[in-house]
Amino acid sequence: MVQILDEAQKQLLLDRMKRRATGLLVHAAAVFAVARIFEPRYPWLGYIRATAEAAMVGGLADWYAVTALYRHPHANPIPHTAIIPARKDRVGNNLGNFIQRNFLSRDVIAARLQALHVAENLARWLADPQNARLIARKAATGLASAAHVLREDDVQALIDRAVERRLRSTRVAPLAGKLLSVITENDRHQELLDGAIKLIARAVTENQEVLRDKIEKESPWWVPGVVDDKIHQKIVGAIERTLREVSADDQHPLRQRFDTVLHDYIERLQNSPEVIERVETLKHEILDAAVIRRFSASLWTDAKDALTRFAENPDAYAPGTIERALNAFGEAVLADPVLLAKVDGVIADVALALVERYQGEVAQLISQTVAGWDPQATSRRIELAIGKDLQFIRINGTLVGGLAGLALYSLSKFMAAP
């Protein structure tokens, strides 16, 4: 990981590199002076003097070049110096355009997303139950905090308006008719009838004593108990026999009658103005009932209390629906390469759409931000960012200049030799 330095640390490193580059230049000057003094006595010092002399020239030239980027050397307004402060706005424009073309281009983002395998990493992360629980905890904590900020009356009024407006504006009868039409497709409603038959048969079997007592109470006092028992047996036997016949015969008249009544009711729910109006009237009566008002009032209170309890002690609750859904989604994506590719495609499409939509604005933001900076402050920021590395130019200039001077001096001596 790259260490992020503050301005003080950057300034310390910059000053240190400046001292090294300047020290090398001073050292070359001292060597030049000593060699120049003793060269008449020791001619071989000419090689050292030429090396030091060229090193001085190279070091001074590169000092001038580096300094001219940020300021006027020795405060002299020499043309084409203090380049960064003078051309700050152009630098900002070029920087914004450079980032737009080379970092926010469609090809660069697409290649980077493909290499990151975002869908696979995200799915693997979600498949971990601890991560799914972490998401649920953070969401619950955020919602609980927001819930305590909201006013009870405002939220209750919002719930009332939203629920009541939606229910009152929805015509229930046609919707119920469509739902029943779906249920009756492929005779699925017969399965419901079979279930109802079993429930009725069980109810009759389990409540025979109740039926016997009811018959005895309703019959005249002078009717003997034996007759009541016969009546009870006849009724119970007829019901059980009829239920068995209906259950065993797919073409039983009662089944056909059930089909006819149900389809007729579905038709009237969707097309009969009288039935639709009766259902709407019943709906409004239910909505106006006090119990519905109390239920609506309890929605927000119960939801807020549940969020608060979960946020305060999430470990006390078993994994919830959201956590299980996140786990299932992660596992499903990992197990399905086709789905994994689709999720990657969706992520890439969204990212590329955002890049194409806002890359121009990003470049403009960079350009405007740099344009708003003070010229001297801009120069200082850039120098702190890259100035330490540019001091190597001065060091290299001194060393390369010295080597070039040595090579030229040696060549001149070789050519002058008889």
Side-chain angles (χ1 to χ4, degrees):
M1 177 178 289
V2 178
Q3 183 180 5
I4 305 300
L5 304 178
D6 57 25
E7 288 196 2
Q9 293 173 316
K10 291 179 180 179
Q11 186 66 57
L12 181 63
L13 294 176
L14 176 60
D15 292 341
R16 185 182 300 167
M17 288 304 302
K18 282 184 176 181
R19 287 194 296 269
R20 290 177 181 176
T22 303
L24 183 59
L25 180 60
V26 171
H27 179 73
V31 171
F32 169 77
V34 173
R36 188 71 180 86
I37 293 173
F38 292 98
E39 183 180 359
R41 184 181 305 176
Y42 306 103
W44 58 269
L45 287 177
Y47 291 94
I48 297 177
R49 187 262 308 159
T51 301
E53 183 178 11
M56 291 170 53
V57 174
L60 287 171
D62 286 336
W63 167 81
Y64 177 88
V66 172
T67 304
L69 288 173
Y70 309 111
R71 62 189 66 86
H72 297 298
H74 297 300
N76 294 321
I78 303 172
H80 305 294
T81 59
I83 295 174
I84 291 177
R87 293 168 176 77
K88 172 178 62 69
D89 295 345
R90 186 187 300 176
V91 171
N93 291 331
N94 292 337
L95 179 61
N97 293 331
F98 176 80
I99 291 177
Q100 179 180 349
R101 288 194 302 269
N102 297 281
F103 292 90
L104 299 180
S105 67
R106 184 180 184 89
D107 294 339
V108 172
I109 298 299
R112 183 58 178 167
L113 288 175
Q114 185 177 4
L116 289 176
H117 302 290
V118 178
E120 180 180 353
N121 292 329
L122 178 60
R124 199 179 304 281
W125 192 83
L126 288 176
D128 187 341
Q130 292 183 351
N131 295 329
R133 191 160 181 79
L134 177 63
I135 294 178
R137 290 180 180 181
K138 295 298 183 183
T141 302
L143 291 174
S145 300
H148 287 289
V149 175
L150 299 174
R151 293 178 54 192
E152 297 282 346
D153 295 340
D154 294 340
V155 176
Q156 186 57 53
L158 177 63
I159 295 175
D160 289 342
R161 288 195 302 269
V163 173
E164 185 175 349
R165 181 171 61 249
R166 187 61 181 267
L167 290 177
R168 290 188 185 277
S169 63
T170 302
R171 297 177 70 83
V172 176
L175 185 62
K178 292 180 180 179
L179 178 61
L180 290 175
S181 297
V182 174
I183 294 176
T184 57
E185 288 182 358
N186 300 321
D187 290 335
R188 284 195 293 263
H189 61 289
Q190 292 294 339
E191 298 176 5
L192 297 178
L193 180 59
D194 291 335
I197 290 173
K198 293 179 180 178
L199 289 176
I200 295 173
R202 183 185 302 173
V204 171
T205 301
E206 294 177 352
N207 294 278
Q208 289 197 26
E209 293 299 326
V210 176
L211 292 173
R212 176 68 180 78
D213 293 341
K214 186 67 174 177
I215 292 172
E216 184 178 358
K217 290 179 181 178
E218 295 293 333
S219 64
W221 62 270
W222 44 266
V223 174
V226 176
V227 174
D228 290 338
D229 291 337
K230 290 292 185 181
I231 295 174
H232 171 259
Q233 293 174 3
K234 287 287 186 180
I235 294 175
V236 172
I239 293 175
E240 291 178 341
R241 184 172 56 257
T242 301
L243 292 176
R244 286 195 300 270
E245 292 174 355
V246 174
S247 179
D249 186 3
D250 293 339
Q251 303 299 323
H252 195 278
L254 283 180
R255 286 186 181 274
Q256 298 176 3
R257 178 61 178 166
F258 176 68
D259 283 346
T260 301
V261 171
L262 182 59
H263 285 97
D264 179 66
Y265 186 62
I266 292 173
E267 176 66 23
R268 287 188 292 135
L269 279 174
Q270 297 185 79
N271 300 308
S272 173
E274 293 80 6
V275 174
I276 293 175
E277 185 61 30
R278 286 201 299 270
V279 173
E280 287 297 303
T281 300
L282 178 62
K283 179 189 73 175
H284 289 296
E285 290 177 355
I286 294 175
L287 291 176
D288 292 334
V291 64
I292 298 299
R293 296 291 182 180
R294 290 195 297 271
F295 171 74
S296 174
S298 67
L299 286 177
W300 172 245
T301 302
D302 294 343
K304 187 176 69 172
D305 291 343
L307 285 172
T308 302
R309 290 194 300 270
F310 182 81
E312 291 176 349
N313 188 16
D315 294 327
Y317 298 88
T321 303
I322 295 178
E323 298 170 47
R324 291 193 296 271
L326 291 172
N327 282 143
F329 175 75
E331 293 172 355
V333 173
L334 285 175
D336 190 342
V338 176
L339 181 58
L340 198 65
K342 289 182 179 179
V343 174
D344 263 332
V346 171
I347 294 174
D349 289 341
V350 172
L352 293 174
L354 291 174
V355 167
E356 291 180 347
R357 171 65 179 84
Y358 294 106
Q359 61 179 346
E361 296 183 15
V362 171
Q364 186 178 8
L365 174 64
I366 294 173
S367 177
Q368 292 177 351
T369 301
V370 175
W373 288 350
D374 176 75
Q376 302 304 322
T378 303
S379 178
R380 171 176 170 76
R381 289 172 181 170
I382 295 177
E383 185 176 14
L384 288 176
I386 63 175
K388 180 177 73 72
D389 297 321
L390 292 182
Q391 298 305 311
F392 284 106
I393 295 177
R394 295 177 55 192
I395 295 173
N396 292 335
T398 304
L399 296 176
V400 172
L403 293 175
L406 176 60
L408 291 174
Y409 185 80
S410 299
L411 181 60
S412 65
K413 286 292 186 181
F414 175 78
M415 294 177 63

